[in-house]
Amino acid sequence: MSTTCDAARLTIDLDALAKNWRSLAMRVAPAACGAVVKADAYGLGIAHAAPALWKAGARTFFVALLAEGLALRAVLPEATIYVLGGLLPGTAATYPAARLRPVLGSPAEVADWAALCAAHGTDCPAALHVDTGMNRLGLSTEEAVALAAAGAGFTPALLMSHLACADTPDHPLTAIQRALFAAVAAAFPGVPASLANSAGCLGGRDLHFDLARPGIALYGGVAVAGQPPLQPVVRLEVPVIQLRRGVPGDSVGYGAAERLKRASRIAILSFGYADGFLRAAGSSDDRPGAQAILAGRRCPLVGRVSMDLTAVDVTDLPEDAVARGDMAVILGDGIGVDDLAAHAGTIGYEILTSLGPRYRRLYLGG
Ligand SMILES: *Cc1c(COP(=O)(O)O)cnc(C)c1O
């Protein structure tokens, strides 16, 4: 396979994304299923991913930042959009103007929103975030219950909390968080409740409440340790720009971190850490690195990942199996984002959100 462009190629399968959403929506029904599209839809491109999710049936979307919410509003005029990061001082008026909903996570944010609702003379929709064990964002359960009793100054459109450990089956914190959240939800009768991330969607019914908020599982990442991912969504192919030979004792790449143990053939790929191919995925004498598929076979990286270049040992392939201009598969054909992540000491989320700006992006379906 050759290419008419020297850039690596990232293929994003929007039909697989839609299929993954429908599969999660079926799993959590009768709860509704939203979609988390923060960080540019986990690096895949929100302008393409969000309309595909909308077409599949998603109506409620979650982003991290106000700026992301504004960008998403331009793409999806009718969607319900929540901004997870909540309110920074001075930003409240931007929300109703773009029909965005903040996720309020502290008494100060709640007070800002109540003032805005009073000024508008009507309830502007917002979510309340309750902390049940993450200790990141959210009102304490005591603050939330007190607010339910005293009145927030507006009726929340959604009550939510976030699971810290649902990716680990049977982690005791999940049941504790669920029980705390259920108790707070009981203090807000009639307000829809949302607890489940991807791992929560794949967990028990008692985690689903009224609205699920999957992210990583939509994009083909592993959500629960030990469970296979849904359909892969990304495929990354990178051109071979040189084939070289080395003799035993030669070193490859910066730091001479790996020495060849045999007469070797090396393929040089045109991508590196500037493309988000994490340096930690490289190989050394002490530790094997990630793999690339060439001529249908998995071949090991050799030496460190450079900014724009990565070397692969193709000695075990037949002579002439690989030619200059061929494409090596980095993600796809059985190498999932979590497989690559494992070689780089990270998680699929970081592999996806690191996908760089130099790739030529192709969107399939949608
Ligand atoms: C990112 C995020 C999610 C989605 O989590 P996944 O593990 O990717 O499914 C859901 N809720 C909140 C509050 C988040 O920050």
Side-chain angles (χ1 to χ4, degrees):
M1 211 192 324
S2 66
T3 174
T4 54
C5 177
D6 69 344
R9 178 168 64 208
L10 183 69
T11 307
I12 295 151
D13 186 343
L14 297 174
D15 290 340
L17 175 66
K19 196 168 167 205
N20 289 345
W21 184 85
R22 284 194 294 267
S23 135
L24 290 169
M26 258 159 44
R27 165 135 197 136
V28 301
C33 190
V36 179
V37 293
K38 62 195 181 191
D40 202 26
Y42 289 46
L44 303 194
I46 195 169
H48 297 269
L53 291 162
W54 173 270
K55 238 189 201 174
R59 291 296 175 266
T60 303
F61 291 78
F62 295 85
V63 294
L65 306 178
L66 177 54
E68 293 175 347
L70 292 168
L72 180 57
R73 174 55 73 215
V75 175
L76 294 181
E78 294 171 64
T80 297
I81 301 173
Y82 285 99
V83 177
L84 292 165
L87 280 186
L88 274 175
T91 62
T94 308
Y95 284 83
R99 289 172 295 115
L100 301 175
R101 303 179 174 192
V103 176
L104 306 170
S106 71
E109 292 180 28
V110 171
D112 279 4
W113 199 252
L116 179 100
C117 293
H120 279 243
T122 179
D123 278 9
C124 299
L128 280 188
H129 192 157
V130 183
D131 178 49
T132 54
M134 184 73 128
N135 276 303
R136 207 173 54 166
L137 297 174
L139 301 163
S140 70
T141 53
E142 294 79 11
E143 285 168 338
V145 169
L147 203 65
F154 58 93
T155 303
L158 182 71
L159 187 72
M160 58 167 271
S161 189
H162 192 42
L163 295 168
C165 302
D167 57 332
T168 306
D170 302 321
H171 194 290
L173 186 53
T174 303
I176 293 169
Q177 288 195 273
R178 192 208 68 79
L180 285 171
F181 185 61
V184 176
F188 289 89
V191 177
S194 175
L195 179 64
N197 54 3
S198 297
C201 292
L202 300 175
R205 283 223 160 272
D206 60 346
L207 298 175
H208 297 163
F209 290 87
D210 301 305
L211 173 67
R213 307 188 310 269
I216 191 71
L218 297 173
Y219 307 106
V222 167
V224 177
Q227 280 191 28
L230 301 180
Q231 265 195 220
V233 175
V234 296
R235 178 178 178 85
L236 177 59
E237 298 155 290
V238 179
V240 174
I241 55 173
Q242 271 205 21
L243 288 156
R244 318 177 55 83
R245 287 176 188 274
V247 298
D250 279 357
S251 65
V252 179
Y254 284 118
E258 184 154 13
R259 274 176 203 288
L260 301 178
K261 285 151 203 83
R262 57 180 178 170
S264 302
R265 281 176 289 123
I266 310 290
I268 306 298
L269 308 184
S270 176
F271 85 136
Y273 62 76
D275 300 291
F277 188 61
L278 302 177
R279 205 165 160 278
S283 176
S284 70
D285 288 329
D286 308 322
R287 201 187 71 94
Q291 298 170 329
I293 298 172
L294 284 134
R297 294 252 310 260
R298 290 198 189 194
C299 302
L301 261 57
V302 52
R304 288 186 187 161
V305 173
S306 301
M307 186 184 292
D308 317 296
L309 298 167
T310 297
V312 178
D313 185 337
V314 295
T315 314
D316 289 333
L317 299 181
E319 284 274 352
D320 305 326
V322 182
R324 184 166 65 96
D326 283 358
M327 294 299 251
V329 178
I330 304 300
L331 290 172
D333 294 346
I335 302 183
V337 291
D338 295 275
D339 300 317
L340 174 52
H343 284 292
T346 185
I347 53 177
Y349 298 73
E350 194 178 18
I351 297 296
L352 288 175
T353 56
S354 299
L355 290 168
R358 293 197 293 193
Y359 298 139
R360 192 159 53 99
R361 289 176 175 234
L362 293 180
Y363 289 89
L364 302 182

